[in-house]
């Protein structure tokens, strides 16, 4: 018996200078950071305050750190693809061999959707939702840490694939029969499947956690129609997670059974049905689009109301539109493969349903416009991202309506036109929103604002770079260029692809601006300090506590009397000014105890995942058994909560008078 | 007093709206969260059911359900599982009134019935595989083994969970945390029954209609 399963030295691509360089750089980076942290003596602090933390704010920040790092990885893939397509025309073959190019586009899609966009929105929801609901933590704080750990495990596995073995060459959707063992005998598809199964479980647990939190643990007086819109969109997004992710889990489990045990779900022989995978995949995949985009819509709603100094226009219609999108999300999956050959009436149904989603989305756009209309708008960086989003997203949405027409779709199916379309909605729809939320909540999380001018530069580079990069792709798409081409012979496409590559360079300048902004802001943190806890003159409850908020969020749980709870209280405070505020009475607060279970579970998940990929069966048993023992031991712990004494809360409150002086 | 009468006597205007009371008690939150988990689990099963429905006739020249399924064995399996749900309910009652011995007894009977169910199911699987009806034989059999096997795995997980919970009752007693977990276990066990009713109907009953 081979102790290391299929793993041999040949798994490491020593002959590929690009891959070895990239993975060498990553390993050096990790070693450097770990070494620095250890030498500086930060490890105990990191362990105590972050890795074992069950505080939703800390977990949110860690999700965002993961997402930002993976954004750099996914973006590097994008740069490589654009560079390859800019040069590999006619006789030139470019610098990437086909098998490497295939891995890059698969990794780009997988990383950007699962390990950038998902942790971005989940991180922002983690940070903001409990604060906005006026509560002290999520419904299941420790489960939240487990979710984070599982997401991190998936991320680790997919990055290991760069160095040990290979990644899938099947595209990020991994359609069979190509992804079956017969046509993809390597470990690439297994890396893809196991990292997504592990992180998908984490996402599902997150969804359950948020739905329960939002439906069952709101502050006193916060009825549904008093919830901030971001909480509504978070609710819709997490309902979609709960209803959609199990389908992905099932589909991938079937593909795994095909690959590992020779089942016949999607195989070409034995009666398998490959189109069933495509259907199941998109039954998850289309709701996934709204899982990502709805929280961003929530952020835009918060930003446009706050910085216009007005209540959100049409709150009720915004809520209705959000929930309508949530339901309609499940009625359109077939528009991803009109060419499957379903009957005309089936295609017509899904085409019409797809167009119908444009209606509630349009409602939202008008609501944001009317919120800004007549408002006293402050053109801060979050507002720039919001306006940039509206301008861009409307156009991207229109190309989506084009694609929803089955005959048109038949012409441009699988072309670069499609690639341009979905980047045109997902970059403004998710990435811009996440950047707006990052800038908007940064002072709440760290106690100082991000520097403005570098933020503006970053926005303009992204905005201009985005259009330069993706508009040409509509053109080459209509000229007949299919997606995922490592090389092409049509020389008339090349000028457009060179322009697209230039666009990526401009976006790169935007990313550099963001890194500079981060560094500059940390250096100038004393000037950018937010001492009030309410730097933007906000409307929702998170601005009513200190920045950064204490572990218990609110010394006394707020009582909500209307929509825009904090704004209402500020208005009321002006009226009652002069009356001395009653002295507060503090009570000890119980907060959930830190736990290493998230980290330990993540460790065993990585071990088991890696072992499964390489068929190292003893290690699979070790990983699974370890995780089981860890969970049982956790279930037997005696203390679940620690009490924070009233004096400490009083002391904190007196040092941060924002909440009291209101 | 009769509950209905008691409810009638409450003045509606004296009731506090639930939105005014703030976060729900932990027991409610945990139960609700677990319900959401169960719903997601049922969504996963529905994906497996759908796949089974698509592939049920894709026998690739191999055996069909009508040739393979043994109605008697499945009927006994069903009886075991439904009875175990009943004993699980008895266990919940014992927990509510803090009767330790009755709890153990209820758990033991539930465990034995669940194990019996699994035993019969494994025998059915082994018999089919021995006769050449392996999951590798056809897409129909792949889908059958996955759907039924997934339910079987859930039952196995449930048995392990029940054993751990009895250890918790023995060591830690009826603490709130232990009671909440037992409550979730009961929900889980009943949900498996519901899935089995669907399975029994779709796979075993509809499978033998020729």
């Amino acid at each position: 018996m081979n102790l290391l399963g299929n793993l041999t030295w040949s798994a490491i691509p020593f002959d590929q200078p690009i891959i070895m360089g990239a993975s060498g750089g990553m390993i050096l980076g990790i070693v450097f950071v770990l070494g620095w942290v250890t030498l500086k003596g930060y490890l105990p602090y990191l362990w105590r305050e972050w890795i074992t933390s069950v505080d939703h704010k800390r977990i949110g920040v860690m999700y965002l750190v993961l997402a930002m790092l993976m954004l750099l990885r996914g973006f590097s893939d994008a740069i490589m693809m654009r560079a390859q397509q800019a040069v590999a025309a006619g006789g030139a073959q470019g610098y990437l061999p086909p098998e490497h190019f295939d891995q890059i586009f698969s990794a780009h899609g997988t990383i950007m959707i699962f390990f950038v966009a998902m942790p971005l929105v989940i991180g922002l929801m983690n940070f903001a939702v409990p604060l906005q609901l006026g509560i002290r933590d999520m419904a299941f704080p420790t489960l939240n840490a487990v979710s984070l750990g599982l997401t991190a495990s998936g991320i680790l596995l997919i990055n290991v694939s760069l160095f040990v073995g290979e990644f899938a060459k099947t595209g990020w959707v991994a359609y069979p029969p190509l992804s079956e063992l017969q046509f993809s005998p390597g470990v690439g598809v297994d890396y893809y499947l196991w990292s997504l199964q592990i992180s998908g479980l984490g996402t599902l647990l997150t969804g359950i956690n948020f739905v329960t939190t939002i439906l069952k643990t709101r502050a006193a007086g916060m009825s549904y129609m008093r919830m901030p819109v971001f909480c509504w969109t978070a609710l819709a997004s997490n309902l979609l997670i709960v209803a959609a992710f199990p389908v992905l889990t099932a589909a991938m489990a079937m593909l795994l059974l095909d690959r590992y045990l020779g089942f016949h779900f999607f195989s070409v022989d034995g009666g398998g049905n490959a189109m069933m995978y495509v259907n199941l995949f998109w039954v998850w995949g289309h709701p996934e689009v709204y899982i990502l985009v709805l929280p961003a819509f929530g952020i835009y709603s918060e930003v446009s109301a706050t910085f216009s100094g007005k209540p959100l226009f049409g709150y009720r219609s915004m809520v209705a539109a959000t929930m309508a999108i949530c339901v309609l999300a499940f009625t359109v999956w077939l528009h991803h493969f009109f060419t499957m050959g379903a009957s005309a009436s089936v295609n017509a149904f899904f085409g019409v349903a797809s167009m119908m989603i444009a209606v509630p989305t349009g409602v939202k756009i008008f609501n944001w416009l009317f919120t800004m209309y007549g408002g006293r708008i402050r053109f801060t960086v979050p507002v720039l991202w919001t306006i940039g989003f509206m301008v861009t997203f409307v156009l991207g949405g229109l190309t989506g309506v084009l694609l929803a027409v089955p005959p048109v779709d038949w012409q441009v199916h699988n072309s670069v036109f499609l690639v341009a379309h979905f980047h045109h909605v997902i970059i403004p729809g998710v990435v811009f929103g996440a950047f707006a939320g990052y800038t908007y909540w940064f002072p709440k999380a760290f106690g100082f604002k991000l520097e403005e001018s570098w933020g503006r530069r970053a926005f303009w580079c992204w905005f201009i770079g985005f259009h330069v990069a993706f508009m040409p792709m509509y053109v080459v798409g209509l000229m007949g260029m299919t997606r995922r081409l490592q090389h092409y012979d049509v020389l008339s496409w090349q000028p457009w692809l060179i322009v697209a590559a230039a666009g990526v360079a401009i976006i790169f300048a935007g990313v550099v601006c963001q890194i500079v902004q981060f560094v500059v802001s940390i250096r100038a943190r004393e000037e950018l300090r937010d001492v009030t806890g309410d730097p933007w003159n906000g409307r929702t409850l998170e601005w009513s506590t200190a920045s950064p908020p204490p572990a218990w969020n609110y010394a006394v749980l707020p009582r909500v009397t209307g929509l825009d709870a904090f704004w209402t209280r500020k208005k009321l405070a002006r009226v009652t000014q002069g009356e001395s505020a009653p002295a507060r009475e503090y009570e000890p607060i119980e907060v959930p105890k830190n736990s290493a279970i998230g980290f330990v579970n993540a460790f065993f998940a990585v071990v088991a995942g890696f072992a499964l990929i390489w068929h190292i069966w003893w290690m699979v048993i070790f990983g699974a058994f370890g995780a089981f023992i860890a969970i049982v031991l956790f279930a037997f712990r005696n203390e679940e909560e620690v009490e924070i004494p009233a004096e400490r809360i009083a002391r904190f409150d007196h040092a941060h008078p924002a909440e009291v002086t209101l | 007093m009769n509950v209905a009468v008691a409810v009638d006597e409450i003045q509606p205007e004296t009731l506090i709206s639930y939105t005014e009371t703030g976060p729900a008690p932990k027991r409610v939150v945990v139960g609700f969260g677990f319900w959401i988990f169960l719903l997601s689990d049922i969504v996963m099963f529905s994906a497996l059911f759908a796949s089974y429905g698509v592939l049920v006739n894709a026998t690739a020249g191999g055996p069909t359900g009508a040739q393979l399924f043994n109605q008697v064995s499945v009927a006994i399996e069903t009886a075991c599982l439904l009875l175990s749900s009943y004993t699980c309910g008895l266990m919940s009652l014992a927990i509510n009134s803090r009767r330790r011995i009755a709890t153990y007894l209820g758990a033991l009977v539930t465990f034995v019935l669940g194990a019996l169910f699994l035993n019969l199911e494994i025998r059915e699987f082994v018999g089919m595989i021995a006769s050449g009806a392996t999951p590798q034989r056809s897409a129909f059999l792949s889908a059958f083994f996955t759907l039924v096997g997934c339910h079987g795995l859930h039952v196995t997980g449930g048995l392990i969970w029940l054993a751990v919970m009895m250890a918790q009752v023995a060591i830690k007693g009826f603490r709130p945390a232990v009671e909440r977990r037992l409550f979730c276990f009961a929900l889980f066990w009943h949900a498996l029954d519901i899935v089995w009713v669907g399975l029994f109907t779709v796979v075993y009953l509809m499978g033998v209609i020729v």
Side-chain angles (χ1 to χ4, degrees):
Chain A
M1 194 182 104
N2 191 347
L3 264 187
L4 285 179
N6 294 341
L7 188 59
T8 58
W9 282 112
S10 62
I12 299 172
F14 289 112
D15 54 330
Q16 301 268 351
I18 296 174
I19 297 177
M20 289 313 284
S23 37
M26 267 164 87
I27 292 169
L28 271 181
I30 293 168
V31 169
F32 175 77
V33 171
L34 279 181
W36 184 74
V37 166
T38 317
L39 285 180
K40 284 269 186 177
Y42 291 152
L43 266 188
Y45 164 78
L46 272 183
W47 176 261
R48 210 176 49 239
E49 296 289 326
W50 290 90
I51 294 171
T52 60
S53 175
V54 295
D55 182 337
H56 69 95
K57 303 178 288 293
R58 297 265 161 98
I59 290 175
V61 170
M62 286 188 277
Y63 265 113
L64 288 172
V65 170
L66 283 177
M68 296 292 185
L69 288 174
M70 282 301 99
L71 180 62
L72 294 180
R73 163 87 209 267
F75 185 57
S76 319
D77 291 334
I79 295 172
M80 291 172 84
M81 283 188 288
R82 285 290 119 243
Q84 169 74 11
Q85 288 198 335
V87 293
Q93 287 294 322
Y95 65 105
L96 290 172
E99 68 274 8
H100 188 191
F101 186 79
D102 293 356
Q103 292 182 45
I104 291 176
F105 65 64
S106 308
H108 172 77
T110 312
I111 287 175
M112 285 301 199
I113 293 289
F114 291 97
F115 301 130
V116 177
M118 285 303 279
L120 274 180
V121 296
I122 290 177
L124 289 168
M125 290 192 294
N126 250 303
F127 181 79
V129 165
L131 283 170
Q132 288 199 330
L133 292 177
I135 51 175
R136 297 210 167 102
D137 215 319
M138 300 282 288
F140 308 109
T142 318
L143 189 70
N144 206 11
V146 171
S147 297
L148 171 71
L150 292 173
T151 305
S153 307
I155 290 178
L156 188 58
L157 278 178
I158 206 170
N159 281 294
V160 166
S161 78
L162 185 67
F163 183 55
V164 186
E166 54 165 13
F167 193 64
K169 300 168 200 162
T170 53
W172 77 280
V173 290
Y175 284 170
L178 176 60
S179 56
E180 292 279 2
L181 199 60
Q182 192 183 354
F183 304 105
S184 294
V187 290
V189 178
D190 301 326
Y191 266 114
Y192 167 88
L193 289 170
W194 287 115
S195 61
L196 294 194
Q197 286 293 51
I198 291 170
S199 67
L201 179 62
T203 307
L204 175 66
L205 296 177
T206 299
I208 293 167
N209 212 339
F210 271 107
V211 171
T212 314
T213 306
I214 298 171
L215 291 183
K216 284 289 163 197
T217 66
R218 300 187 304 276
M222 187 173 278
S223 57
Y224 286 123
M225 279 304 161
R226 288 175 185 173
M227 283 202 311
V229 173
F230 182 66
C231 293
W232 267 110
T233 56
L235 174 65
S237 167
N238 286 288
L239 284 171
L240 288 173
I241 287 179
V242 170
F245 264 78
V247 181
L248 182 72
T249 305
M252 292 196 162
M254 293 180 216
L255 188 53
L256 282 166
L257 286 169
D258 274 12
R259 286 180 62 85
Y260 278 72
L261 297 172
F263 281 35
H264 288 290
F265 280 107
F266 313 123
S267 58
V268 283
D269 53 350
N273 188 336
M275 277 324 285
M276 192 170 76
Y277 176 89
V278 182
N279 274 279
L280 289 171
F281 186 89
W282 287 111
V283 166
W284 159 81
H286 201 84
E288 166 71 6
V289 173
Y290 296 102
I291 292 169
L292 297 176
V293 87
L294 284 174
F297 285 176
I299 293 168
Y300 294 130
S301 305
E302 302 291 336
V303 166
S304 52
T306 303
F307 293 102
S308 304
K310 282 173 65 187
L312 187 73
F313 182 90
Y315 171 83
R316 278 166 184 273
S317 63
M318 198 63 115
V319 170
T322 303
M323 296 322 275
I325 293 176
C326 181
V327 173
L328 286 174
F330 278 104
T331 62
V332 298
W333 79 87
L334 196 127
H335 71 211
H336 293 269
F337 46 94
F338 279 136
T339 51
M340 172 170 77
S343 70
S345 41
V346 169
N347 280 356
F349 170 83
F350 282 95
V352 171
S354 308
M355 291 179 209
M356 260 164 58
I357 284 204
V359 176
T361 316
V363 168
K364 280 171 171 274
I365 297 272
F366 281 111
N367 280 344
W368 292 315
L369 289 175
F370 286 131
T371 305
M372 299 178 100
Y373 177 76
R376 207 169 278 181
I377 302 170
R378 287 170 282 159
F379 282 97
T380 55
V381 176
V383 173
L384 286 183
W385 289 114
T386 304
I387 296 174
F389 149 76
M390 283 196 270
V391 175
T392 318
F393 190 82
V394 167
L395 287 175
L398 283 178
T399 59
V401 175
L402 279 180
L403 281 164
V405 182
V408 177
D409 182 85
W410 276 65
Q411 296 306 312
V412 287
H413 179 82
N414 223 24
S415 74
V416 182
F417 185 90
L418 167 80
V419 177
H421 158 70
F422 69 69
H423 284 88
H424 205 160
V425 280
I426 219 161
I427 289 180
V430 181
V431 184
F432 285 15
F435 289 158
Y438 159 71
T439 325
Y440 181 62
W441 281 309
F442 191 91
K444 184 46 60 186
F446 297 104
F448 59 95
K449 288 201 238 181
L450 283 168
E451 207 271 335
E452 283 263 318
S453 52
W454 281 103
R456 285 172 201 284
R457 280 169 210 149
F459 165 75
W460 284 111
C461 288
W462 265 93
F463 184 75
I464 296 167
F466 167 79
H467 286 94
V468 178
F470 288 101
M471 291 303 156
M473 291 169 75
Y474 280 119
V475 181
V476 276
L478 288 176
M479 288 161 85
M481 180 175 180
T482 50
R483 65 198 290 202
R484 297 169 177 153
L485 288 184
Q486 177 260 345
H487 164 261
Y488 50 91
D489 295 318
V490 187
L491 287 174
S492 59
W493 295 345
Q494 196 179 20
W496 298 100
L497 292 164
I498 291 172
V499 174
V504 170
I506 303 175
I507 296 178
F508 181 72
V511 174
V512 171
C513 288
Q514 285 173 305
I515 295 170
V516 172
Q517 179 200 33
F518 186 64
V519 175
V520 166
S521 309
I522 292 177
R523 291 196 157 181
R525 60 187 176 281
E526 288 312 322
E527 293 106 85
L528 296 165
R529 181 77 59 196
D530 158 40
V531 285
T532 60
D534 182 20
W536 312 117
N537 196 8
R539 315 180 69 82
T540 41
L541 282 175
E542 75 266 34
W543 306 108
S544 71
T545 186
S547 303
W552 52 88
N553 286 358
Y554 299 99
V556 178
L557 285 179
R559 170 163 284 280
V560 177
T561 50
L563 188 60
D564 288 345
F566 184 46
W567 186 258
T568 324
R569 254 162 68 187
K570 282 197 274 193
K571 280 272 175 67
L572 222 72
R574 264 177 222 142
V575 178
T576 55
Q577 230 170 20
E579 294 172 28
S580 60
R584 275 195 163 181
E585 280 181 25
Y586 296 100
E587 282 172 17
I589 295 171
E590 290 207 322
V591 295
K593 206 177 163 203
N594 279 6
S595 166
I597 185 74
F599 182 81
V600 174
N601 241 344
F603 169 78
F604 285 119
V606 171
V607 168
F610 186 80
L612 281 161
I613 290 161
W614 291 100
H615 298 235
I616 312 170
W617 303 119
W618 63 269
M619 213 159 113
V620 176
I621 295 166
F622 169 74
F625 196 65
F628 172 70
I629 295 293
I631 291 167
V632 170
L633 286 179
F634 171 78
F636 272 94
R637 71 180 182 161
N638 282 320
E639 278 186 356
E640 288 168 17
E641 281 163 339
V642 281
E643 202 177 74
I644 295 173
E647 304 87 72
R648 200 177 136 204
I649 298 158
R651 216 165 43 232
F652 181 90
D653 239 19
H654 294 313
H656 299 82
E659 202 184 344
V660 185
T661 53
L662 189 90
Chain B
M1 193 195 296
N2 187 316
V3 177
V5 176
V7 169
D8 278 345
E9 285 180 0
I10 298 171
Q11 304 292 319
E13 57 272 19
T14 62
L15 283 173
I16 311 167
S17 156
Y18 75 98
T19 55
E20 292 300 325
T21 54
K26 187 125 191 186
R27 187 184 158 83
V28 173
V29 171
V30 170
F32 187 85
F34 199 75
W35 261 115
I36 303 287
F37 164 75
L38 287 177
L39 287 178
S40 77
D41 215 29
I42 286 173
V43 172
M44 189 189 71
F45 269 111
S46 59
L48 296 178
F49 268 108
S51 318
Y52 181 81
V54 169
L55 299 175
V56 67
N57 292 323
T59 52
T64 63
Q67 292 161 346
L68 289 169
F69 301 147
N70 178 352
Q71 297 304 92
V72 179
S73 161
V74 177
I76 301 171
E77 274 180 56
T78 309
C80 285
L81 205 62
L82 294 185
L83 261 180
S84 84
S85 220
Y86 177 68
T87 57
C88 178
L90 291 180
M91 181 182 80
S92 298
L93 290 177
I95 294 162
N96 285 346
S97 50
R98 305 283 195 286
R99 282 174 297 153
R100 215 178 255 239
I101 303 297
T103 306
Y104 290 142
L105 204 65
L108 183 71
V109 180
T110 308
F111 190 95
V112 169
L113 286 169
L116 220 63
F117 166 85
L118 266 184
N119 180 37
L120 285 170
E121 183 162 276
I122 291 169
R123 272 198 198 184
E124 184 199 9
F125 280 12
V126 170
M128 283 170 72
I129 290 169
S131 73
T134 63
Q136 289 84 5
R137 176 65 190 82
S138 69
F140 155 67
L141 284 165
S142 298
F144 166 80
F145 276 98
T146 307
L147 174 59
V148 182
C150 186
H151 179 267
L153 274 179
H154 275 73
V155 174
T156 315
L159 292 183
I160 296 170
W161 187 6
L162 182 60
V164 173
M165 282 325 297
M166 284 309 110
Q168 290 221 311
V169 173
I171 295 165
K172 296 166 79 91
F174 290 114
R175 294 186 181 205
V178 174
E179 283 185 17
R180 287 196 298 267
R181 287 171 198 155
L182 285 165
F183 174 62
C184 291
F185 170 79
L187 286 180
F188 181 72
W189 202 251
H190 297 314
L192 288 188
D193 249 19
I194 297 172
V195 173
W196 180 258
V197 170
L199 250 162
F200 179 69
T201 314
V202 172
V203 177
Y204 291 104
L205 289 185
M206 285 161 70
V208 293
I209 300 169
V210 184

